Amino acid sequence: MTGQTTPRRQAVHRLLDGLSTGGDVRVVTGEPGCGRTAFLEYAAGSFRAGPVWRVRADPGRAAPPLSGLHTLLRTAGRTARGTGDGTAGETLFDVLRAAAGASPLLVCVDDAHLWDAASRAALGHAAARVRATGVRAGLLLTVPGHRPVDRELAALPVLRLGPLAPGDAARVVDDVTGGAVDPGVREELVTAAEGNPALLLALIHRLSPAQLAGRRALPRPLADGEALAKVAGGCLTDVPPDRAGLLLTAAAAVRATGEPDADADLVRRAAGAGAPRPLPEALVLAEGRLRFRSALLGRAVYAGAPPERRRAAHRALAACLTGTGADGVLALLHRSWTVTGAAPALAAALAAAAALAPPG
């Protein structure tokens, strides 16, 4: 399947090979568009040693307790007897152990975070028991990487799908286009996608044959707000205004530095007194620095915001930065993103400050 490159296939086969000697469990995660579902499909299609139970979770907000677990058992042709709240996890473990008695068993649950809490708790308990006892059952559970792992699954080992390497991404481009792509265009696609398989495919499909062949100009920016929003999906829907403001300020701060994180105090001050505590799920705080759990989500926040809101975020960040050196350069850089026309004085000040700033 497109996007399932050799390193990912190798990871799948290492996991599946381990089932011959004992159970294995992984919570498969990654940013939106990283290919979690494709990874699970490849694992299920590659497993030949025994039965495979596959279930895609449905949203569990209004679902009754243990509805997710009952769906899994029905998918496996098992009854749902004996799955009361207090014994559900142990009951599921007994079912897995019995099913894996004759041959190894693979259980794949896509979007496990959408299950109701009682079902997640039962799944987490059974998975932990599989790991502890060596039952020949493998569990692959996918959850999104732009939010914390639910506490019911947080103790399980995580497999995070990282970005595609440039060479792997280039091969995806060639595979999808049948090789009918200009080398320069291929390089731009790979750079703009930053290793995200879904974004890479979205950008390819956005281009006409003439653009792919290099005969017509590419749209600018190549990865615009619409393309990023398609990949981010519903991750940014229904975000309260105070949290949306903090997310945009953080995205603007990261964009200016080019680093994966930004000074948390600076971002909070620029976002104003209404900055929410605790932080939005999309952000994580470590050693006084804020970063997006998903870099793609940060790009989508920034690109999808109205231009006037982006300029306001940069203006607020510039106002909170004082002094000379790196801070002075950064303040001028933020100011440069607040203007809508030529600003020769600002350009000269930025060039002079950059020349005086210490390296690094």
Side-chain angles (χ1 to χ4, degrees), residues 239-269:
V239 178
D242 60 338
R243 292 175 181 265
L246 183 63
L247 288 174
L248 177 56
T249 306
V254 168
R255 177 181 174 84
T257 63
E259 298 175 356
D261 54 22
D263 181 82
D265 182 60
L266 170 65
V267 172
R268 286 190 182 277
R269 284 187 288 119

PDB file of all heavy atoms in Angstrom, residues 239-269:
ATOM      1  N   VAL A 239     -12.658  24.097  18.589  1.00  0.00           N
ATOM      2  CA  VAL A 239     -11.649  24.590  19.533  1.00  0.00           C
ATOM      3  C   VAL A 239     -12.144  25.905  20.132  1.00  0.00           C
ATOM      4  O   VAL A 239     -12.472  26.834  19.391  1.00  0.00           O
ATOM      5  CB  VAL A 239     -10.287  24.816  18.827  1.00  0.00           C
ATOM      6  CG1 VAL A 239      -9.267  25.383  19.812  1.00  0.00           C
ATOM      7  CG2 VAL A 239      -9.783  23.510  18.239  1.00  0.00           C
ATOM      8  N   PRO A 240     -12.242  26.040  21.472  1.00  0.00           N
ATOM      9  CA  PRO A 240     -12.710  27.286  22.082  1.00  0.00           C
ATOM     10  C   PRO A 240     -11.806  28.453  21.694  1.00  0.00           C
ATOM     11  O   PRO A 240     -10.608  28.266  21.435  1.00  0.00           O
ATOM     12  CB  PRO A 240     -12.628  26.991  23.592  1.00  0.00           C
ATOM     13  CG  PRO A 240     -12.641  25.505  23.706  1.00  0.00           C
ATOM     14  CD  PRO A 240     -11.949  24.997  22.470  1.00  0.00           C
ATOM     15  N   PRO A 241     -12.356  29.672  21.658  1.00  0.00           N
ATOM     16  CA  PRO A 241     -11.571  30.834  21.216  1.00  0.00           C
ATOM     17  C   PRO A 241     -10.277  31.048  21.987  1.00  0.00           C
ATOM     18  O   PRO A 241      -9.249  31.390  21.399  1.00  0.00           O
ATOM     19  CB  PRO A 241     -12.547  32.002  21.409  1.00  0.00           C
ATOM     20  CG  PRO A 241     -13.908  31.385  21.310  1.00  0.00           C
ATOM     21  CD  PRO A 241     -13.766  30.019  21.916  1.00  0.00           C
ATOM     22  N   ASP A 242     -10.302  30.864  23.323  1.00  0.00           N
ATOM     23  CA  ASP A 242      -9.070  31.105  24.084  1.00  0.00           C
ATOM     24  C   ASP A 242      -7.995  30.092  23.721  1.00  0.00           C
ATOM     25  O   ASP A 242      -6.818  30.434  23.594  1.00  0.00           O
ATOM     26  CB  ASP A 242      -9.342  31.090  25.592  1.00  0.00           C
ATOM     27  CG  ASP A 242      -9.910  29.756  26.075  1.00  0.00           C
ATOM     28  OD1 ASP A 242     -10.476  29.012  25.255  1.00  0.00           O
ATOM     29  OD2 ASP A 242      -9.781  29.474  27.286  1.00  0.00           O
ATOM     30  N   ARG A 243      -8.399  28.850  23.504  1.00  0.00           N
ATOM     31  CA  ARG A 243      -7.427  27.833  23.126  1.00  0.00           C
ATOM     32  C   ARG A 243      -6.950  28.042  21.688  1.00  0.00           C
ATOM     33  O   ARG A 243      -5.781  27.813  21.382  1.00  0.00           O
ATOM     34  CB  ARG A 243      -8.023  26.435  23.293  1.00  0.00           C
ATOM     35  CG  ARG A 243      -8.269  26.080  24.750  1.00  0.00           C
ATOM     36  CD  ARG A 243      -8.968  24.747  24.928  1.00  0.00           C
ATOM     37  NE  ARG A 243      -9.182  24.484  26.336  1.00  0.00           N
ATOM     38  CZ  ARG A 243      -8.357  23.758  27.094  1.00  0.00           C
ATOM     39  NH1 ARG A 243      -7.264  23.242  26.565  1.00  0.00           N
ATOM     40  NH2 ARG A 243      -8.622  23.559  28.371  1.00  0.00           N
ATOM     41  N   ALA A 244      -7.860  28.473  20.820  1.00  0.00           N
ATOM     42  CA  ALA A 244      -7.467  28.747  19.433  1.00  0.00           C
ATOM     43  C   ALA A 244      -6.438  29.869  19.390  1.00  0.00           C
ATOM     44  O   ALA A 244      -5.476  29.817  18.610  1.00  0.00           O
ATOM     45  CB  ALA A 244      -8.695  29.120  18.611  1.00  0.00           C
ATOM     46  N   GLY A 245      -6.607  30.889  20.237  1.00  0.00           N
ATOM     47  CA  GLY A 245      -5.644  31.985  20.278  1.00  0.00           C
ATOM     48  C   GLY A 245      -4.281  31.540  20.747  1.00  0.00           C
ATOM     49  O   GLY A 245      -3.247  31.950  20.191  1.00  0.00           O
ATOM     50  N   LEU A 246      -4.251  30.678  21.764  1.00  0.00           N
ATOM     51  CA  LEU A 246      -2.969  30.178  22.252  1.00  0.00           C
ATOM     52  C   LEU A 246      -2.293  29.289  21.216  1.00  0.00           C
ATOM     53  O   LEU A 246      -1.075  29.366  21.008  1.00  0.00           O
ATOM     54  CB  LEU A 246      -3.167  29.410  23.565  1.00  0.00           C
ATOM     55  CG  LEU A 246      -1.899  28.895  24.237  1.00  0.00           C
ATOM     56  CD1 LEU A 246      -1.001  30.049  24.658  1.00  0.00           C
ATOM     57  CD2 LEU A 246      -2.226  28.014  25.431  1.00  0.00           C
ATOM     58  N   LEU A 247      -3.085  28.452  20.541  1.00  0.00           N
ATOM     59  CA  LEU A 247      -2.518  27.584  19.510  1.00  0.00           C
ATOM     60  C   LEU A 247      -1.911  28.405  18.379  1.00  0.00           C
ATOM     61  O   LEU A 247      -0.807  28.110  17.904  1.00  0.00           O
ATOM     62  CB  LEU A 247      -3.601  26.657  18.953  1.00  0.00           C
ATOM     63  CG  LEU A 247      -4.091  25.532  19.871  1.00  0.00           C
ATOM     64  CD1 LEU A 247      -5.263  24.807  19.236  1.00  0.00           C
ATOM     65  CD2 LEU A 247      -2.967  24.551  20.175  1.00  0.00           C
ATOM     66  N   LEU A 248      -2.605  29.448  17.946  1.00  0.00           N
ATOM     67  CA  LEU A 248      -2.086  30.275  16.860  1.00  0.00           C
ATOM     68  C   LEU A 248      -0.826  31.020  17.306  1.00  0.00           C
ATOM     69  O   LEU A 248       0.140  31.120  16.529  1.00  0.00           O
ATOM     70  CB  LEU A 248      -3.147  31.267  16.396  1.00  0.00           C
ATOM     71  CG  LEU A 248      -2.707  32.242  15.303  1.00  0.00           C
ATOM     72  CD1 LEU A 248      -2.169  31.506  14.081  1.00  0.00           C
ATOM     73  CD2 LEU A 248      -3.849  33.170  14.911  1.00  0.00           C
ATOM     74  N   THR A 249      -0.812  31.530  18.522  1.00  0.00           N
ATOM     75  CA  THR A 249       0.375  32.235  19.015  1.00  0.00           C
ATOM     76  C   THR A 249       1.567  31.284  19.077  1.00  0.00           C
ATOM     77  O   THR A 249       2.683  31.651  18.686  1.00  0.00           O
ATOM     78  CB  THR A 249       0.109  32.847  20.396  1.00  0.00           C
ATOM     79  OG1 THR A 249      -1.063  33.666  20.339  1.00  0.00           O
ATOM     80  CG2 THR A 249       1.278  33.692  20.858  1.00  0.00           C
ATOM     81  N   ALA A 250       1.335  30.069  19.554  1.00  0.00           N
ATOM     82  CA  ALA A 250       2.414  29.081  19.595  1.00  0.00           C
ATOM     83  C   ALA A 250       2.895  28.739  18.187  1.00  0.00           C
ATOM     84  O   ALA A 250       4.100  28.605  17.942  1.00  0.00           O
ATOM     85  CB  ALA A 250       1.942  27.815  20.311  1.00  0.00           C
ATOM     86  N   ALA A 251       1.963  28.598  17.250  1.00  0.00           N
ATOM     87  CA  ALA A 251       2.339  28.277  15.870  1.00  0.00           C
ATOM     88  C   ALA A 251       3.151  29.411  15.250  1.00  0.00           C
ATOM     89  O   ALA A 251       4.126  29.167  14.527  1.00  0.00           O
ATOM     90  CB  ALA A 251       1.087  28.014  15.037  1.00  0.00           C
ATOM     91  N   ALA A 252       2.774  30.660  15.542  1.00  0.00           N
ATOM     92  CA  ALA A 252       3.522  31.804  15.016  1.00  0.00           C
ATOM     93  C   ALA A 252       4.910  31.866  15.627  1.00  0.00           C
ATOM     94  O   ALA A 252       5.896  32.192  14.940  1.00  0.00           O
ATOM     95  CB  ALA A 252       2.755  33.103  15.300  1.00  0.00           C
ATOM     96  N   ALA A 253       5.020  31.561  16.913  1.00  0.00           N
ATOM     97  CA  ALA A 253       6.321  31.588  17.583  1.00  0.00           C
ATOM     98  C   ALA A 253       7.254  30.526  17.019  1.00  0.00           C
ATOM     99  O   ALA A 253       8.441  30.784  16.779  1.00  0.00           O
ATOM    100  CB  ALA A 253       6.136  31.388  19.089  1.00  0.00           C
ATOM    101  N   VAL A 254       6.728  29.335  16.782  1.00  0.00           N
ATOM    102  CA  VAL A 254       7.533  28.252  16.225  1.00  0.00           C
ATOM    103  C   VAL A 254       7.956  28.581  14.795  1.00  0.00           C
ATOM    104  O   VAL A 254       9.092  28.319  14.380  1.00  0.00           O
ATOM    105  CB  VAL A 254       6.741  26.931  16.277  1.00  0.00           C
ATOM    106  CG1 VAL A 254       7.420  25.853  15.450  1.00  0.00           C
ATOM    107  CG2 VAL A 254       6.586  26.461  17.723  1.00  0.00           C
ATOM    108  N   ARG A 255       7.055  29.182  14.035  1.00  0.00           N
ATOM    109  CA  ARG A 255       7.368  29.535  12.645  1.00  0.00           C
ATOM    110  C   ARG A 255       8.531  30.524  12.585  1.00  0.00           C
ATOM    111  O   ARG A 255       9.413  30.419  11.721  1.00  0.00           O
ATOM    112  CB  ARG A 255       6.138  30.140  11.979  1.00  0.00           C
ATOM    113  CG  ARG A 255       6.375  30.624  10.548  1.00  0.00           C
ATOM    114  CD  ARG A 255       5.105  31.237   9.982  1.00  0.00           C
ATOM    115  NE  ARG A 255       5.326  31.831   8.672  1.00  0.00           N
ATOM    116  CZ  ARG A 255       5.312  31.169   7.526  1.00  0.00           C
ATOM    117  NH1 ARG A 255       5.086  29.872   7.526  1.00  0.00           N
ATOM    118  NH2 ARG A 255       5.521  31.793   6.380  1.00  0.00           N
ATOM    119  N   ALA A 256       8.565  31.461  13.524  1.00  0.00           N
ATOM    120  CA  ALA A 256       9.606  32.489  13.495  1.00  0.00           C
ATOM    121  C   ALA A 256      10.981  31.928  13.822  1.00  0.00           C
ATOM    122  O   ALA A 256      11.978  32.335  13.229  1.00  0.00           O
ATOM    123  CB  ALA A 256       9.254  33.616  14.459  1.00  0.00           C
ATOM    124  N   THR A 257      11.046  30.996  14.769  1.00  0.00           N
ATOM    125  CA  THR A 257      12.347  30.474  15.183  1.00  0.00           C
ATOM    126  C   THR A 257      12.829  29.338  14.295  1.00  0.00           C
ATOM    127  O   THR A 257      14.027  29.078  14.215  1.00  0.00           O
ATOM    128  CB  THR A 257      12.292  29.963  16.627  1.00  0.00           C
ATOM    129  OG1 THR A 257      11.363  28.875  16.709  1.00  0.00           O
ATOM    130  CG2 THR A 257      11.868  31.072  17.585  1.00  0.00           C
ATOM    131  N   GLY A 258      11.887  28.641  13.641  1.00  0.00           N
ATOM    132  CA  GLY A 258      12.266  27.472  12.864  1.00  0.00           C
ATOM    133  C   GLY A 258      12.603  26.277  13.730  1.00  0.00           C
ATOM    134  O   GLY A 258      13.043  25.243  13.229  1.00  0.00           O
ATOM    135  N   GLU A 259      12.381  26.396  15.034  1.00  0.00           N
ATOM    136  CA  GLU A 259      12.652  25.300  15.967  1.00  0.00           C
ATOM    137  C   GLU A 259      11.358  24.537  16.243  1.00  0.00           C
ATOM    138  O   GLU A 259      10.262  25.034  15.966  1.00  0.00           O
ATOM    139  CB  GLU A 259      13.233  25.859  17.268  1.00  0.00           C
ATOM    140  CG  GLU A 259      14.566  26.581  17.085  1.00  0.00           C
ATOM    141  CD  GLU A 259      15.052  27.221  18.382  1.00  0.00           C
ATOM    142  OE1 GLU A 259      14.313  27.158  19.383  1.00  0.00           O
ATOM    143  OE2 GLU A 259      16.158  27.789  18.366  1.00  0.00           O
ATOM    144  N   PRO A 260      11.458  23.337  16.816  1.00  0.00           N
ATOM    145  CA  PRO A 260      10.234  22.567  17.082  1.00  0.00           C
ATOM    146  C   PRO A 260       9.439  23.089  18.268  1.00  0.00           C
ATOM    147  O   PRO A 260       8.307  22.653  18.487  1.00  0.00           O
ATOM    148  CB  PRO A 260      10.761  21.153  17.354  1.00  0.00           C
ATOM    149  CG  PRO A 260      12.166  21.348  17.818  1.00  0.00           C
ATOM    150  CD  PRO A 260      12.684  22.546  17.079  1.00  0.00           C
ATOM    151  N   ASP A 261      10.021  23.993  19.071  1.00  0.00           N
ATOM    152  CA  ASP A 261       9.313  24.490  20.241  1.00  0.00           C
ATOM    153  C   ASP A 261       9.582  25.976  20.421  1.00  0.00           C
ATOM    154  O   ASP A 261      10.378  26.576  19.692  1.00  0.00           O
ATOM    155  CB  ASP A 261       9.706  23.705  21.497  1.00  0.00           C
ATOM    156  CG  ASP A 261      11.211  23.662  21.725  1.00  0.00           C
ATOM    157  OD1 ASP A 261      11.926  24.548  21.201  1.00  0.00           O
ATOM    158  OD2 ASP A 261      11.686  22.750  22.423  1.00  0.00           O
ATOM    159  N   ALA A 262       8.900  26.574  21.398  1.00  0.00           N
ATOM    160  CA  ALA A 262       9.032  28.009  21.645  1.00  0.00           C
ATOM    161  C   ALA A 262       8.966  28.256  23.142  1.00  0.00           C
ATOM    162  O   ALA A 262       8.466  27.426  23.912  1.00  0.00           O
ATOM    163  CB  ALA A 262       7.923  28.774  20.931  1.00  0.00           C
ATOM    164  N   ASP A 263       9.474  29.413  23.561  1.00  0.00           N
ATOM    165  CA  ASP A 263       9.459  29.782  24.978  1.00  0.00           C
ATOM    166  C   ASP A 263       8.018  29.878  25.478  1.00  0.00           C
ATOM    167  O   ASP A 263       7.212  30.659  24.954  1.00  0.00           O
ATOM    168  CB  ASP A 263      10.180  31.109  25.163  1.00  0.00           C
ATOM    169  CG  ASP A 263      10.214  31.528  26.618  1.00  0.00           C
ATOM    170  OD1 ASP A 263      11.081  31.038  27.363  1.00  0.00           O
ATOM    171  OD2 ASP A 263       9.354  32.333  27.015  1.00  0.00           O
ATOM    172  N   ALA A 264       7.700  29.081  26.494  1.00  0.00           N
ATOM    173  CA  ALA A 264       6.317  29.011  26.963  1.00  0.00           C
ATOM    174  C   ALA A 264       5.855  30.325  27.568  1.00  0.00           C
ATOM    175  O   ALA A 264       4.715  30.757  27.344  1.00  0.00           O
ATOM    176  CB  ALA A 264       6.179  27.880  27.988  1.00  0.00           C
ATOM    177  N   ASP A 265       6.723  30.982  28.343  1.00  0.00           N
ATOM    178  CA  ASP A 265       6.340  32.248  28.973  1.00  0.00           C
ATOM    179  C   ASP A 265       6.048  33.308  27.910  1.00  0.00           C
ATOM    180  O   ASP A 265       5.080  34.070  28.016  1.00  0.00           O
ATOM    181  CB  ASP A 265       7.438  32.716  29.913  1.00  0.00           C
ATOM    182  CG  ASP A 265       7.065  34.002  30.636  1.00  0.00           C
ATOM    183  OD1 ASP A 265       6.052  33.999  31.357  1.00  0.00           O
ATOM    184  OD2 ASP A 265       7.782  35.008  30.464  1.00  0.00           O
ATOM    185  N   LEU A 266       6.878  33.371  26.875  1.00  0.00           N
ATOM    186  CA  LEU A 266       6.661  34.321  25.792  1.00  0.00           C
ATOM    187  C   LEU A 266       5.311  34.080  25.116  1.00  0.00           C
ATOM    188  O   LEU A 266       4.538  35.013  24.876  1.00  0.00           O
ATOM    189  CB  LEU A 266       7.788  34.207  24.764  1.00  0.00           C
ATOM    190  CG  LEU A 266       7.586  34.959  23.437  1.00  0.00           C
ATOM    191  CD1 LEU A 266       7.543  36.460  23.671  1.00  0.00           C
ATOM    192  CD2 LEU A 266       8.678  34.588  22.448  1.00  0.00           C
ATOM    193  N   VAL A 267       5.015  32.832  24.817  1.00  0.00           N
ATOM    194  CA  VAL A 267       3.767  32.505  24.130  1.00  0.00           C
ATOM    195  C   VAL A 267       2.568  32.866  24.991  1.00  0.00           C
ATOM    196  O   VAL A 267       1.595  33.460  24.520  1.00  0.00           O
ATOM    197  CB  VAL A 267       3.727  31.009  23.750  1.00  0.00           C
ATOM    198  CG1 VAL A 267       2.356  30.609  23.219  1.00  0.00           C
ATOM    199  CG2 VAL A 267       4.797  30.695  22.703  1.00  0.00           C
ATOM    200  N   ARG A 268       2.632  32.540  26.277  1.00  0.00           N
ATOM    201  CA  ARG A 268       1.506  32.838  27.168  1.00  0.00           C
ATOM    202  C   ARG A 268       1.296  34.349  27.291  1.00  0.00           C
ATOM    203  O   ARG A 268       0.159  34.833  27.285  1.00  0.00           O
ATOM    204  CB  ARG A 268       1.742  32.222  28.540  1.00  0.00           C
ATOM    205  CG  ARG A 268       1.562  30.710  28.593  1.00  0.00           C
ATOM    206  CD  ARG A 268       1.568  30.240  30.038  1.00  0.00           C
ATOM    207  NE  ARG A 268       1.458  28.805  30.169  1.00  0.00           N
ATOM    208  CZ  ARG A 268       0.310  28.120  30.139  1.00  0.00           C
ATOM    209  NH1 ARG A 268      -0.819  28.770  29.928  1.00  0.00           N
ATOM    210  NH2 ARG A 268       0.293  26.824  30.294  1.00  0.00           N
ATOM    211  N   ARG A 269       2.392  35.102  27.431  1.00  0.00           N
ATOM    212  CA  ARG A 269       2.247  36.554  27.570  1.00  0.00           C
ATOM    213  C   ARG A 269       1.677  37.158  26.293  1.00  0.00           C
ATOM    214  O   ARG A 269       0.825  38.044  26.339  1.00  0.00           O
ATOM    215  CB  ARG A 269       3.612  37.182  27.895  1.00  0.00           C
ATOM    216  CG  ARG A 269       4.035  36.973  29.345  1.00  0.00           C
ATOM    217  CD  ARG A 269       5.298  37.758  29.683  1.00  0.00           C
ATOM    218  NE  ARG A 269       6.479  37.185  29.068  1.00  0.00           N
ATOM    219  CZ  ARG A 269       7.260  37.817  28.202  1.00  0.00           C
ATOM    220  NH1 ARG A 269       6.979  39.067  27.830  1.00  0.00           N
ATOM    221  NH2 ARG A 269       8.322  37.225  27.692  1.00  0.00           N
TER     222      ARG A 269
END
